[in-house]
Each structure stands twice: as C-alpha cells, then as structure tokens.
Amino acid sequence: MTTIVALSMKKRIGELLTEALDRAHASGDLRSVPSPVWMETPKREGFGDYASAVAMTLAAAEQRPPRQVAELLVRHLQGADLIERVDIAGPGYLNVTVRRDAWWGVVSEVLEAGEAYGRAPASGRSVQVEFVSANPTGPLHVGHGRLAAVGLALANLLAVAGDRVEREYYVNDAGRQMRLLGESVWARYCTLVGRETPVPEDGYQGAYVEEIARSIVERDGSRYVSEPRETALAELTTLAYERLLDEIRSDLALYGVRFDAWTSERELFRSGSVERAIESLRAQGYIFEADGALWFRSSALGDEKDRVVRKQDGEWTYLASDLAYHSKKLEAGFDVLIDLWGADHHGYVGRIRGLIRAMGHPDERLRVEISQLVTVVRKGKPVPMSKRTGTFITLRDVIEEVGRDAALLTFQMRRLDSPMEFDLELAKEQSSENPVYYIQYAHARTAGILRMAAEQGVNWQPPQESDLARLVLGEELGLLKALAAYPDVVQEAAHAYEPHRVAYFLQELAGLFHAYYYKHRIITDDRPLSAARLALVAAVGVVLRNALAIFGVSAPERM
RNA sequence: GCGCCUGUAGCUCAGUCGGAUAGAGCAACAGCCUUCUAAGCUGUGGGUCGCUGGUUCGAUUCCAGCCAGGCGCGCCA
C-alpha cells in the first residue's frame, strides 16, 4: 500500500489563501475573480515561511493600493488552520508564518512514506526520453557523459513526478558513418595481414579501430581478404559496430544508465518503416522530387528550408530514417517526446518539428532539450574531441579518474543550456571538495548516528508526537522546512524539466544537516529528546537518499 | 550574413509565471577535533547582474539594438 502523501505545506498554505480570496470575493470585499495563487519561498529570513505577491497582482484590477488589498486578505485569513501569523511587508507582500507545531508532522510523513516521499500521484501522462543515441562508431566521450547524466536524471525526475517514462537509445547503425567505420576497420585489418591499405580520408583514425582489427585478426586470421571485398566489408562492419555497441552498453552500465528500449536504424529500413513514413508524408503533399533527389517540404511546416530525404545516388539520408523513427514514437501514443541533443544538432530541430506538425500534433508534444557542449580541458589546455582524429577523452576515462558518482553529479551542477568546461586535473584535485562527497557524507552521517542509536538501544520509532514537540531549535525547524519543501522542489523541477534544481536542493539540505550535527548532540541522556532528534535524522536520511536516487548517485552508509 | 545558446563575486555556477537588502560552492583570510565520522563546522572580505534604450508602481528576470564567446547554417550524422 503506497502512502499518498498529503499536500505539501506550501500547497496547503496556498489553498488557505485561495479560500480566503474566495471568501473575500463572495463577501464583496474583492471585485476581481481570483485565480489560483502562487506561493513562493522568501529569500530572506524574517519574511515568514511562505510569501505571496497576490495583493500586488490584484491591486491594478481593484484600483486600490496593494497594501490595502493585502489588509483585507489578512482579515479573511483570520483563524485559518496552520497559520501562526500573516504580515504585510514591503510593497504588499503577504508573509505567512506557519505554526510551529504544524511542522512536526513532516517527520512522520517522511518516515511513513519512505522511498515514496516526494513522489507525486500518477499524472496519467506518458513520456519518452531519448538520449545519448551516439553512433556506434567509437567510444562515448565526455559530451555523451553529460547527456547520459542529465537524461538519466530527467527521466527519473519525471517518473517521480508521476509520469510514465520510457528511456530510449536510438542506434544509428545504418548509413554513411557505418560504412566509413567498416572501411576504416577494413583498412587496418588489411594492413595488419600484410596488405598495406590506407584508412579512407573521412574515416576513423582512432586507436580503437586498429584494436578491433587486431582482435579480428587474432580470431579469424586473414580469411576475409580471400572473400569478395563487399562481403568482407559487410562482415567487418557488423563485427565492428556490434563490438562498439557492446562497449557503449557496458560504459553506460558502468555509469548506471539503463534504457528501456533500443531502436535500430537498420531495422527501420528493413521493416519498411522508412518507406511507409515517406509515403505517408507524400500523401499529404510534403514530399516532392527535384534535381534527381527526393525532398521533405519542411519549409511549409516552419523549417528554414526544404530537406533532402533521398539523395541523387538513391541513398536515403539520416533524416529519412529519423522521420520514420519519430513517426513511430508518435504512433506509439506518447504524450510527450523528449529528445536530448548536443548543441551541434540543434539545427536539426526545425525539420523534426516539421514532422510533428505534418502529423497533426501540437508543438508541445515534442520537446528538444539542447545540451551546450562540454569543453574538456587538461591542465588548462583544451583537448580536441573528435572521433575521427582519435584524440579525445572517453566517458570511461572520466569515470575512472573522478568516479561515477562525482561525474554524474558534476554534470547536474549546471543548467543543461549552459556551456561547461570540464577540467580533468581540477576535477581530480577537487575531488575531496566535490559536492557529491559533501552530500554523501551527510547521508553517511545520518546512517552512522542511527547505527549508534541501535547499538545503545535507543528506541525512537515510531516517533511520538509528544517527543517531536521537542524539536524547537532553529536548526531543527530549518531542517523540517527543507524536508517539507522536497515534494515542491521535485514537482517544480519536473515542471521546468530541470533536474539540476534538485541537485541544488540536495546541497542545501546536506549543509543544514552538517551544521545541525556539529552544533547539537542527537543522542543524549534525555531519551524523549533523543528519540525526536533521531526521527528527524532518519527523515533527513530518507530525503537525501530519495533525491540522490534521482541522479543515480549512491547513498553510502559509511564513508 | 542568418538562427540557437551563453554573459551574475578572483574561479565554477544558482537565482522560483517580473517583486523585498542579488545567493552558494571553490579559492583567500581568521578560528573550531576529550563529541553520534574534521570528506565537517563558525566567521570575514569580495558585485556598474556584458552595454544602451524600452515596457512597468517595480527589471538580473520581459522586449529591442549593440558587444563578446560557443554551436549550427551539407544531397554528413
């Protein structure tokens, strides 16, 4: 039985204020019809626990000064539950102070809900998140690491916020890049068995290409050179891409990123999905022929220009299969499709949006989140990242150098659309100062205290209300308020599709806890007080754990 | 040239549909281990929010124009 957590404190206060507005309107004190109010969390202490600017918003329609509107709202809030005091401040803010005893209940709420604390009821919405989707032509690099970390977190965040979420990786295992990979491996292979062959000019030069060729030589010898070139090439291509895809899968597994579905581009061609998608667009007049090629009339759908889907030489472009891919996703009935792309693909958004429109879906159905590029720096010098030249830092390198948890969380400490610099030397040097340790250490401390309590036989669960009433310190109230805010943080972050907000919350909660721990003893001779504090500590541990889980970061019991 | 993103403390970055005295971490400096873990805590200093205008009672936030950086503008992906 899942406990459906009651409304958060913020929402409860918002409802009380909405009711007050309704009463004010019904009694004729207020002329305008009030819309649902938005509570905010004041930046400064002394401004109450929650604030609303509703009086200022209404002032114009009421043709009265904001403070006068605020005063009448305060009158209608008289006697409301939970509320200790409402102050009018500044230009007309309503600053609501919640009764101290109202906070204690959050401890029991957190402990009873456990893993479910912060989880919203099912929204009924289904969302598909497609991310990473790197071509299997080489190992994952740092940029993929950012996309993987954010995709993982975004998917988890939406799931916690109530959406049904599918995580998908689209495998580009067809087309020109695949052929180049095959030719590159072929060249290395031939050279290794004594037939010097140059790697094609646009081919892949990385050392991993030669390694693949070498492993094929070790297993199969030189038998491919006696086959017809086309047959051998096809076989080597498949061997190479399967091997690289395996590596990608294992890198992602090492990183803790799992996908629910892997869609193959080849399969889209083989199954006829590409032809069907193009035919369907043609039937609507969005496909035409010109200059010996086949075009998608995306300019009629908001794109900058029309795009080729089949080249003069008869080969389909990447766009053709991508149209088929997105058609299938739409037909699968997802309410929202999220594509997480690197900034170097953002010019692609217009044509995919064109498809969405052609298929008669609203723009909101497709969300393309663009990750600005990651610049990798080593000792202050930029490291070029190119699969073709073969000089790049792989995701695996990063995980091995700075650790999985640190890598995952580092990518969450900035907004996705903010460019970031990743200095490997710095990341190593600062590893002990990394936010991830700070947060994990807070969790380990909660675990350590609970262990000690168990050893000393201090009984604290289930928490008694009379004991919780002993939580009166400023630090304790601060922690209670943070715990109460967690469901709001999750919901607001999900609404904005911005998991990094949860990361900042984590840092704040960990900070509050460290300060509390240092200033006050949890386990003392005062058993009821100890019980109350232990319950609070346990609740902090639960929320730290739940929030870390969104990022796929571990919550160690000891460090 | 056009499009998208970015510009906030020395550095890396937050900043809640426009709101109150713009915040955090790192770095610097000064303190704190007889304690349930010092991977921690306490304090100090540090800002023309890129620039200029506009809208508004009110702009770091919205709009326009500049400046600087990144990315894109292919019958590549």
Side-chain angles (χ1 to χ4, degrees):
Chain A
M1 221 3 211
T2 317
T3 316
I4 297 297
V5 174
L7 286 178
S8 72
M9 187 66 77
K10 192 184 204 172
K11 287 184 182 153
R12 275 183 258 177
I13 300 300
E15 285 204 338
L16 291 174
L17 184 52
T18 303
E19 287 165 15
L21 281 160
D22 286 340
R23 281 196 296 274
H25 185 244
S27 69
D29 286 351
L30 210 59
R31 245 172 298 169
S32 39
V33 182
S35 50
V37 293
W38 175 261
M39 301 304 298
E40 48 190 294
T41 308
K43 293 177 206 167
R44 301 174 54 81
E45 279 184 43
F47 289 155
D49 298 314
Y50 301 104
S52 174
V54 67
M56 281 121 85
T57 318
L58 289 174
E62 292 295 313
Q63 294 179 323
R64 267 184 286 183
R67 293 188 68 106
Q68 248 182 51
V69 178
E71 275 166 30
L72 77 89
L73 290 177
V74 170
R75 278 204 307 280
H76 282 280
L77 271 169
Q78 290 301 325
D81 195 23
L82 301 173
I83 294 176
E84 169 82 31
R85 201 173 70 241
V86 183
D87 299 312
I88 301 167
Y93 275 101
L94 289 175
N95 288 339
V96 179
T97 304
V98 174
R99 284 213 325 261
R100 201 167 61 181
D101 60 307
W103 294 110
W104 297 325
V106 73
V107 172
S108 306
E109 271 180 31
V110 172
L111 294 176
E112 277 164 29
E115 273 181 30
Y117 184 71
R119 191 169 295 163
S123 66
R125 199 171 76 144
S126 70
V127 180
Q128 196 226 43
V129 186
E130 184 224 318
F131 61 113
V132 187
S133 298
N135 291 356
T137 54
L140 297 175
H141 55 62
V142 180
H144 296 128
R146 183 179 196 181
L147 288 167
V150 173
L152 160 90
L154 181 58
N156 287 342
L157 175 64
L158 293 174
V160 168
D163 295 335
R164 201 160 51 75
V165 179
E166 182 182 285
R167 301 150 177 85
E168 174 149 324
Y169 189 116
Y170 178 51
V171 186
N172 295 123
D173 50 6
R176 190 177 118 89
Q177 298 306 319
M178 267 301 113
R179 201 168 54 247
L180 280 171
L181 172 71
E183 284 169 2
S184 304
V185 173
W186 171 249
R188 292 296 190 194
Y189 174 83
C190 289
T191 303
L192 282 169
V193 298
R195 290 172 154 201
E196 193 79 23
T197 308
V199 172
E201 200 170 323
D202 302 336
Y204 294 92
Q205 309 284 348
Y208 64 89
V209 175
E210 196 173 343
E211 279 169 33
I212 291 170
R214 194 183 308 280
S215 74
I216 294 171
V217 172
E218 280 165 13
R219 202 187 62 186
D220 299 334
S222 62
R223 74 174 173 87
Y224 293 102
V225 292
S226 54
E227 291 179 7
R229 187 172 182 277
E230 283 309 308
T231 315
L233 207 51
E235 285 178 290
L236 289 196
T237 303
T238 301
L239 281 173
Y241 113 77
E242 282 177 351
R243 159 113 179 234
L244 287 167
L245 193 57
D246 276 350
E247 255 175 58
I248 287 172
R249 285 179 202 265
S250 88
D251 282 359
L252 288 169
L254 187 68
Y255 206 35
V257 180
R258 273 174 295 281
F259 288 89
D260 304 305
W262 298 71
T263 291
S264 152
E265 184 183 7
R266 277 188 188 186
E267 195 48 40
L268 291 175
F269 283 110
R270 197 162 12 211
S271 64
S273 295
V274 175
E275 274 94 344
R276 276 199 300 280
I278 299 299
E279 278 320 303
S280 157
L281 286 170
R282 190 200 295 275
Q284 296 177 77
Y286 291 121
I287 296 290
F288 66 96
E289 261 175 85
D291 306 327
L294 206 59
W295 298 70
F296 175 36
R297 201 186 300 281
S298 53
S299 66
L301 297 156
D303 195 11
E304 288 167 16
K305 46 181 140 175
D306 297 328
R307 312 288 180 175
V308 169
V309 291
R310 199 179 58 211
K311 298 183 269 182
Q312 278 181 346
D313 64 8
E315 196 177 344
W316 293 104
T317 63
Y318 176 81
L319 176 60
S321 47
D322 222 7
L323 291 175
Y325 175 48
H326 281 83
S327 299
K328 286 196 79 162
K329 294 207 272 192
L330 287 168
E331 284 160 8
F334 291 106
D335 297 307
V336 181
L337 301 180
I338 300 176
D339 286 354
L340 262 177
W341 293 348
D344 54 342
H345 283 66
H346 83 252
Y348 214 79
V349 176
R351 60 200 85 171
I352 298 299
R353 185 158 306 289
L355 171 76
I356 306 295
R357 291 179 179 173
M359 290 181 70
H361 295 286
D363 284 359
E364 305 84 72
R365 188 146 293 177
L366 174 72
R367 264 192 91 91
V368 182
E369 300 289 332
I370 299 295
S371 155
Q372 291 304 311
L373 299 186
V374 181
T375 318
V376 183
V377 172
R378 192 183 274 288
K379 289 174 189 160
K381 271 171 60 184
V383 180
M385 288 202 298
S386 159
K387 281 190 188 181
R388 274 199 271 283
T389 64
T391 50
F392 57 91
I393 305 300
T394 65
L395 175 57
R396 186 172 282 262
D397 293 337
V398 172
I399 296 171
E400 283 167 2
E401 274 194 46
V402 309
R404 184 193 77 159
D405 288 341
L408 280 170
L409 210 63
T410 298
F411 287 120
Q412 310 295 342
M413 296 313 291
R414 64 242 325 119
R415 265 182 17 248
L416 191 63
D417 53 8
S418 177
M420 74 179 286
E421 196 172 84
F422 201 113
D423 192 316
L424 289 163
E425 296 302 317
L426 223 60
K428 259 193 297 189
E429 278 170 29
Q430 293 186 342
S431 63
S432 63
E433 302 291 346
N434 196 302
V436 72
Y437 296 105
Y438 184 78
I439 296 162
Q440 287 181 319
Y441 188 46
H443 181 267
R445 271 186 160 166
T446 65
I449 294 166
L450 296 178
R451 268 198 307 276
M452 182 61 67
E455 280 168 23
Q456 297 185 6
V458 185
N459 184 34
W460 56 272
Q461 42 191 349
Q464 304 300 310
E465 235 173 279
S466 55
D467 294 346
L468 293 175
R470 303 283 303 277
L471 301 175
V472 295
L473 295 169
E475 288 85 0
E476 289 166 341
L477 282 174
L479 281 168
L480 290 168
K481 289 172 189 178
L483 297 179
Y486 178 63
D488 297 319
V489 170
V490 165
Q491 206 193 30
E492 285 160 21
H495 182 73
Y497 298 87
E498 289 181 349
H500 77 274
R501 295 188 190 198
V502 180
Y504 279 86
F505 168 84
L506 262 174
Q507 205 172 20
E508 200 183 308
L509 177 60
L512 290 172
F513 179 69
H514 283 308
Y516 176 53
Y517 170 88
Y518 191 79
K519 285 183 198 157
H520 307 287
R521 278 200 73 80
I522 310 302
I523 304 170
T524 61
D525 292 339
D526 185 340
R527 286 304 166 108
L529 180 63
S530 301
R533 290 183 172 175
L534 283 165
L536 175 61
V537 167
V540 169
V542 166
V543 172
L544 288 172
R545 209 152 48 233
N546 291 358
L548 281 170
I550 288 176
F551 301 111
V553 174
S554 66
E557 293 289 309
R558 54 182 93 223
M559 288 173 76

